[in-house]
Amino acid sequence: MPKTLCLILGDQLTTAISSLKAIDKTKDVVLLAEVWDETQYVKHHQQKIAFLFSAMRHFAEQLRERGYQVAYYALDGGHRYQSFSTAVKHAVNTHKPDNIVVTEPGEYRVLKAMQQWQADLGIDVDILEDDRFYCSIQDFKTWAKGRKQLRMEGFYREMRKRHAVLLTESGTPEGGKWNYDADNRKPPVKGLAVPKPYQAKLDDTTKAVIKLVAETFSDHFGDLTEFHYAVTRQQALTALNKFIDERLVDFGSYQDAMVTDEPWMFHAHIGLYLNCGLLLPDECVAKAELAYREGRAPLNAVEGFIRQILGWREYIRGIYWLKMPDYEHENFFDASRPLPSFYWDADTDMQCLKQCVQQTQTHAYAHHIQRLMVLGNFALLAGIDPQFVNKWFLIVYADAYQWVELPNVTGMALFADGGVIASKPYAASGAYINRMSNYCKSCHYQVKLKTGSEACPFNYLYWYFLKTNADKLSRNPRLAIAYKNLNNMDDDKLSEIMNSAEAFLNNMNEA
Ligand code: DLZ
Ligand code: SF4
């Protein structure tokens, strides 16, 4: 009988992956490999590497317990494999398989490498569909075909109907509305009691990996000291259940709120588990829907949570595979400034940015509004080159792979695709951050001041951004009011704004 080699990537850690389902454990070999290039194509946060290596090692062990024959190439296992291609080549020479089976990877660059293997190795390579997603790449392309606009909302409604999620018996949306976003924007109130997040105990495997990462990747961004993420499926399920029981109830209302020294809020913190395979999208959606049906969580929370998974996450993946490889080079505003150094060291007097970067260093995590409306918004307003911004986001978040990071940053945060994803840039002044957080209360800058050295930089950068990009944005109907206000501004005020912005941008690393 022919023998198969099955490569499992670091973000395919589930027995539900199509490649594992296609093999016969009595005779085939499963390969997992910690490879140098994957740790270096961007220099990932130390916790991201520790998380994935530990999760990979635990997954390999579980496969062995289930009777699979597993080859595991550890980075500290005596030989350092450069890339997936070199690891696969070695495994082919060692195990002499007749063919290779893999599930399609999450990143375009890895797919391109895989597509070379058949010719390079001289054996058949089957690249199977990744059917962990609700919507296949082909189905998304079919949905997108012929549409003038590819907005998430239309896609999401179709997914709700196609997969019968949160529908009444007659097929209408639960509660009468498809989207409860308007009920998901409560500002934080004083004394909000946020439940303690899930924290896994570190076992010997995780401790060994942390040591390896500390020794090998000490020049990478981020700390290792607060590593408490789940590294097995069982632990990830516990984290998910804890979220459903303790946080989901308030997740909806406070989804966009930001609080000083409170990184976790009511969010689920499961993105990293979903994106590496420890959790599956449909089980998260099913658990949230059940909580609603049993009266344990309100509709605005459950719909908001489900929209992120069934709507946004699937839509973003679809856009990535529809638009790659050109999408990597989008730069609608020709933004060219380098990333300020405070994105790396948090050394800034802007409290919102300081808080978001600090917690990113400590936890390899920030929630969506911190990413979009603080870190992304600043990069948009300050005209940072999208290449640098994308690289930063890919490095620093434990849940980041290019398929999910690139459309969120290029399309959503930076509007660098000129409006494929968003109908207008998500540009906002300090007033938005002040409304949705308590950061401004302890900031060196004054959120109420519009210009001058004490003023909140987001305030003048907002108008500077609109003014300098008027040729590209002023005809956008969703910005009509903003441009009307800009056009009605008297010349003195406008020149004060422009001067404040230029002074700031010329000295950004000192802000
Ligand atoms: C992110 C990452 C890192 C840091 N290291 C590995 C690794 O050593 N081996 C592996 O299989 N996967 C790793 N990953 C995840 C891959 O980068 C990811 O599977 C590809 O980008 C495809 O999405
Ligand atoms: Fe951020 Fe401006 Fe508020 Fe300071 S005042 S925290 S810079 S929004």
Side-chain angles (χ1 to χ4, degrees):
M1 273 217 286
K3 181 164 148 186
T4 300
L5 175 72
C6 169
L7 173 69
I8 299 290
L9 303 179
D11 55 359
Q12 301 181 337
L13 307 181
T14 168
T15 49
I17 199 83
S18 52
S19 56
L20 269 186
K21 287 193 284 190
I23 66 165
D24 177 349
K25 64 182 171 190
T26 60
K27 63 174 181 59
D28 297 333
V29 176
V30 178
L31 171 67
L32 287 102
E34 297 168 8
V35 298
W36 187 247
D37 287 356
E38 291 307 301
T39 69
Q40 299 300 310
Y41 75 95
V42 294
K43 290 167 87 72
H44 306 278
H45 193 301
Q46 295 184 45
Q47 280 197 35
K48 184 176 178 185
I49 302 177
F51 164 67
L52 268 186
F53 281 12
S54 180
M56 285 171 68
R57 291 180 185 198
H58 281 97
F59 185 64
E61 213 34 59
Q62 284 162 5
L63 288 180
R64 284 194 188 107
E65 283 163 14
R66 287 173 182 227
Y68 286 90
Q69 194 188 327
V70 180
Y72 193 95
Y73 297 170
L75 205 72
D76 53 357
H79 182 85
R80 187 177 277 182
Y81 293 92
Q82 189 66 34
S83 64
F84 287 133
S85 302
T86 49
V88 165
K89 193 170 179 183
H90 183 82
V92 167
N93 289 336
T94 310
H95 299 282
K96 312 249 177 309
D98 300 287
N99 68 324
I100 296 177
V101 167
V102 282
T103 293
E104 62 192 358
E107 298 197 347
Y108 187 85
R109 71 186 167 86
V110 182
L111 179 64
K112 290 288 126 185
M114 275 181 183
Q115 286 168 342
Q116 292 302 316
W117 290 349
Q118 185 150 320
D120 290 353
L121 300 168
I123 57 174
D124 280 354
V125 178
D126 276 340
I127 304 178
L128 307 180
E129 187 182 326
D130 189 347
D131 58 9
R132 287 176 293 171
F133 290 86
Y134 280 98
C135 183
S136 72
I137 293 169
Q138 195 44 54
D139 279 356
F140 190 87
K141 286 182 176 159
T142 307
W143 174 80
K145 204 164 181 201
R147 271 170 213 269
K148 270 227 288 291
Q149 285 199 326
L150 302 177
R151 297 286 177 252
M152 194 280 293
E153 189 59 32
F155 171 77
Y156 168 55
R157 289 181 191 188
E158 201 161 312
M159 297 298 282
R160 287 267 298 275
K161 287 187 227 156
R162 200 187 295 170
H163 297 281
V165 173
L166 271 189
L167 299 183
T168 61
E169 273 174 16
S170 56
T172 57
E174 276 299 331
K177 282 198 294 185
W178 289 102
N179 184 320
Y180 289 84
D181 197 29
D183 302 327
N184 290 352
R185 297 180 193 145
K186 264 198 192 164
V189 289
K190 247 200 166 129
L192 261 186
V194 179
K196 278 208 164 67
Y198 170 80
Q199 292 201 333
K201 263 186 82 179
L202 310 188
D203 65 7
D204 289 346
T205 303
T206 302
K207 284 180 192 159
V209 162
I210 287 178
K211 187 164 169 285
L212 165 70
V213 172
E215 283 166 4
T216 318
F217 305 107
S218 60
D219 59 328
H220 287 215
F221 177 83
D223 314 330
L224 278 167
T225 39
E226 292 292 318
F227 185 92
H228 297 295
Y229 286 123
V231 290
T232 64
R233 169 152 174 82
Q234 220 41 52
Q235 290 176 337
L237 276 172
T238 307
L240 171 65
N241 291 336
K242 198 167 152 61
F243 162 72
I244 300 276
D245 292 346
E246 298 173 7
R247 308 175 103 82
L248 178 60
V249 63
D250 285 315
F251 166 77
S253 302
Y254 297 111
Q255 203 181 115
D256 291 0
M258 300 174 280
V259 177
T260 302
D261 295 332
E262 179 41 75
W264 307 113
M265 295 301 290
F266 297 97
H267 287 262
H269 330 125
I270 59 165
L272 76 173
Y273 310 137
L274 266 175
N275 294 351
C276 81
L278 293 185
L279 294 178
L280 297 169
D282 49 0
E283 68 192 351
C284 299
V285 166
K287 277 178 194 279
E289 181 163 4
L290 186 66
Y292 167 68
R293 303 235 177 256
E294 292 181 353
R296 288 182 282 120
L299 189 54
N300 73 322
V302 171
E303 187 280 320
F305 178 75
I306 287 177
R307 186 175 354 112
Q308 297 306 323
I309 297 176
L310 178 67
W312 189 249
R313 183 172 183 271
E314 298 282 331
Y315 165 80
I316 282 294
R317 175 177 183 256
I319 293 283
Y320 177 77
W321 287 105
L322 186 70
K323 297 289 178 189
M324 279 300 276
D326 298 346
Y327 211 63
E328 258 188 311
H329 308 290
E330 297 282 10
N331 190 355
F332 181 63
F333 297 119
D334 294 319
S336 60
R337 288 195 182 82
L339 194 71
S341 52
F342 54 75
Y343 274 77
W344 301 111
D345 59 17
D347 187 7
T348 168
D349 287 334
M350 290 179 279
Q351 174 70 352
C352 52
L353 282 157
K354 191 184 194 73
Q355 279 284 317
C356 294
V357 174
Q358 274 177 345
Q359 83 169 64
T360 302
Q361 288 172 321
T362 313
H363 299 296
Y365 172 78
H367 74 57
H368 69 152
I369 293 298
Q370 295 175 308
R371 297 190 203 194
L372 178 67
M373 299 307 290
V374 178
L375 297 154
N377 182 26
F378 182 86
L380 169 74
L381 300 184
I384 313 297
D385 184 334
Q387 298 280 344
F388 300 131
V389 188
N390 274 297
K391 196 168 169 190
W392 186 84
F393 274 93
L394 192 54
I395 285 174
V396 303
Y397 292 114
D399 49 40
Y401 301 87
Q402 196 190 34
W403 68 265
V404 59
E405 174 279 319
L406 182 65
N408 269 305
V409 172
T410 273
M412 189 67 181
L414 300 181
F415 202 73
D417 63 4
V420 172
I421 287 184
S423 54
K424 69 172 177 88
Y426 273 68
S429 68
Y432 173 84
I433 296 172
N434 191 33
R435 185 163 69 248
M436 294 314 300
S437 79
N438 63 1
Y439 293 152
C440 304
K441 289 197 178 80
S442 51
C443 185
H444 162 88
Y445 295 100
Q446 306 285 316
V447 73
K448 301 282 178 225
L449 295 181
K450 307 292 177 220
T451 54
S453 60
E454 299 294 300
C456 166
F458 284 85
N459 289 344
Y460 46 74
L461 289 178
Y462 172 77
W463 294 112
Y464 178 88
F465 167 76
L466 289 181
K467 177 75 186 161
T468 51
N469 292 302
D471 57 329
K472 290 178 172 139
L473 295 176
S474 61
R475 284 177 304 280
N476 182 323
R478 295 204 60 203
L479 293 172
I481 294 173
Y483 274 101
K484 196 166 162 221
N485 290 338
L486 181 65
N487 293 335
N488 287 340
M489 221 176 252
D490 68 54
D491 289 349
D492 287 351
K493 193 171 167 196
L494 185 59
S495 72
E496 266 182 58
I497 285 174
M498 299 306 273
N499 290 341
S500 293
E502 272 157 24
F504 176 88
L505 291 170
N506 288 335
N507 228 342
M508 202 159 35
N509 279 333
E510 308 307 318

